[in-house]
Every structure is written in structure tokens, then in C-alpha cells.
Amino acid sequence: MNVCAATSAGCVARRRALSLMIGAVAVSAMSGCGLLNSNKERRVREYLLGLKGVDSVDVYVELLGDQGYRWTVRVRLSDDPPQDALITVVGESFDKVAEIAESQTVDMEVAWVQGSTGVRWSSKATDATKAVETVAGLCTPAVDGIEVDSGGALVRYRAVDSFPDNWMVPPSSDALSLSHRDFEQHIRIGGLSVSTRYTGHADLSSVPLERVFEAMSPTDRNREGASIELDDMDFVHGQVQLSVAAFGSYEDGLDSDAAARVLAVVLGNRVLQGVELSTAWDESGSDEVRFDMKDGSVVGEGRPPEKGAVILAAAQ
């Protein structure tokens, strides 16, 4: 009995000693990683702060388990930084930071103010010189902010009371090449949200957005949740689509006469492949009618047909 007890006690002691050793090795390894990352953080800061125009740098490192470490780097530039400084920061600095961090998971954002426009850049520019020149051209008093990341580019305009002249970016503009993906424009006109999204699939310049705006009543334009959206590749239908949500409330139902006035404006446009007209969006949902289009004409009577036929007849 005493022999068994002694053996058991020895096993417990050995297991405890082994656990302590494993723990010590783990702590040592973590400490080593921590020291290594601290050195990398210091080098990242020193590199970025050594670049012309950089005001401040924040670096955060987070362990993602088996995926390694995620680096979050925030760089703030002085206002109106010189062009040569911007070219370096939005171009080669992204690769240099990833090289120092020895990580493929680096979330880096560069922010600055150009004139009165706030700019946020979080994706390496393939052609940094062209990108910087393009952003400089977009930084007008009418533009509130510009954001460029791996998902695309977004230009936010300051709110106005009437539809601005030459608002839509022409298809020949270098702005469309700021990102390899989407280019979006957003503006608020009175109470109405207006947005366009280009993916390179179609030229949207012939779609008469200003006439669509003018065909809407002041009540519809300023209705809560009202919006106009023009997309050259709609997420749901994969078509060039115009969506106008403004015609009444979900509770009262779609105002067919108001919707027909907008449909009448776009009949004949050969670019549009779909038109969606609905009540202003609210938490209850929306009452909508969708029309497929081809070569400027509506195909069928719309969906649902009992509502679409009424709107189409009034529009024609």
C-alpha cells in the first residue's frame, strides 16, 4: 500500500514538473515572439516617421492563433502633403511595412487632408504617380471625402439643394482606375440620397439621372429613406440597373403615378437593363415593381405584372 502511494506521489510530482517545464517553454516562446514583434514595431514606426510628410504613426499587433499576427498600422500625414511624399506613402511604403512585419496580414491606412477634402487610403497604388494626380484632381471644395481600399474607391460629395452640374464622372476619367474594383459616388440632394457604382461593365453617362431627379416631386425627394441608385452591375440581377425608392410609404403602398413619371424619363435609354421603382425604404420593407429593359424598351409588363402594367401604361 505504501509502495503504491509512493509510486502515485512520484507520478504526480513528475507530471507537475513536466507541466511546469512546458509552461516555461511556452512563456519563453511567447516572450521571444513579443520581443521580436516589439523590434518590428519599432522599425515600422522609424521607417514611416522617416518619410516626408508623415505626422504620426500608430501600430497594433494582434495574435490570430494559427494564422499568425495581424498588423494594424495607421499613418497620419500633415495637411496638404507634397506630391512626392504622397507617391511614396501610397505606393512603396505598403510593401516595405509588410516586409518589415514579415506578415501577409497588414491592415494599413494612410489619412490626410487635401484642401478641404479628407482622404483615407488603405491599398497599395499600382501606379502611385497617376493615383496621386487623380486624387488631387478630385479634391475640390464640392468633395467631402475620398476613400480607397482593396474593395474599391468611394467619393463622397457635400450635401447640396439642387442636382449639381456634371456630377457623374465620365467614362474617360482616370478616377475610374483608382481601384481595380468598384468606383462609387455618393451625394445628398436635400433629403434624397443619390449614388452611382461603376465596375467597368458599362458607360453610365447616357442615363438621365438629373431628369429622373426632376421628375420626382419635392415630397418624394425629401421623404425619409428616399434614394436613387445607379449600378452598372447590380449585385442581385447582374444588370445595369436604376433603382428609385421614394414613391410613398410601405404602409400606404406604391404611388403608381409618381413611379410612372420616372419610368417615362428613362424609356428609350439603351444602356439600362433594369429599373426598380419602390416606396421609400423603412424598417417594415418596401413595395416595389421591377421592369426588365432591352434596347430602351420594357420587356413584358414588369414584376408583379398587375402593378407593373398600370405603371407602364401611364408611362407610355
Side-chain angles (χ1 to χ4, degrees), residues 43-242:
R43 290 172 57 203
V44 166
R45 284 195 179 90
E46 287 178 351
Y47 163 69
L48 290 170
L49 288 170
L51 297 178
K52 185 177 179 181
V54 174
D55 263 0
S56 65
V57 176
D58 291 315
V59 182
Y60 310 94
V61 183
E62 179 185 3
L63 180 61
L64 298 178
D66 295 340
Q67 300 174 37
Y69 290 89
R70 177 173 63 195
W71 288 67
T72 302
V73 182
R74 296 292 178 260
V75 182
R76 183 75 193 182
L77 306 183
S78 57
D79 292 350
D80 299 309
Q83 189 178 74
D84 59 336
L86 284 176
I87 290 171
T88 300
V89 174
V90 304
E92 63 187 53
S93 73
F94 280 81
D95 285 341
K96 184 63 176 178
V97 167
E99 178 187 325
I100 295 173
E102 296 182 319
S103 172
Q104 298 300 313
T105 313
V106 178
D107 171 17
M108 178 169 155
E109 180 184 271
V110 182
W112 71 93
V113 174
Q114 193 86 34
S116 59
T117 303
V119 184
R120 293 188 177 277
W121 196 291
S122 55
S123 178
K124 179 192 173 184
T126 304
D127 185 337
T129 300
K130 182 178 179 181
V132 167
E133 291 173 349
T134 300
V135 167
L138 288 170
C139 289
T140 65
V143 176
D144 182 54
I146 300 171
E147 299 173 22
V148 181
D149 58 31
S150 58
L154 167 64
V155 179
R156 290 179 285 102
Y157 293 78
R158 288 186 169 83
V160 293
D161 295 322
S162 58
F163 205 96
D165 295 332
N166 305 314
W167 177 68
M168 291 177 63
V169 171
S172 59
S173 172
D174 287 337
L176 302 185
S177 63
L178 268 178
S179 169
H180 297 299
R181 299 186 65 183
D182 306 350
F183 178 85
E184 298 182 46
Q185 294 177 273
H186 288 260
I187 192 170
R188 195 156 193 86
I189 308 174
L192 181 71
S193 171
V194 182
S195 63
T196 62
R197 187 175 78 101
Y198 300 82
T199 64
H201 289 89
D203 177 359
L204 300 177
S205 59
S206 68
V207 180
L209 274 192
E210 185 171 0
R211 289 180 57 207
V212 167
F213 173 82
E214 292 170 347
M216 301 168 66
S217 71
T219 299
D220 285 340
R221 292 177 200 159
N222 292 290
R223 195 183 304 277
E224 185 176 356
S227 65
I228 297 174
E229 297 179 2
L230 178 59
D231 196 328
D232 78 347
M233 183 56 68
D234 171 60
F235 288 112
V236 177
H237 303 94
Q239 296 179 332
V240 181
Q241 177 166 299
L242 172 68

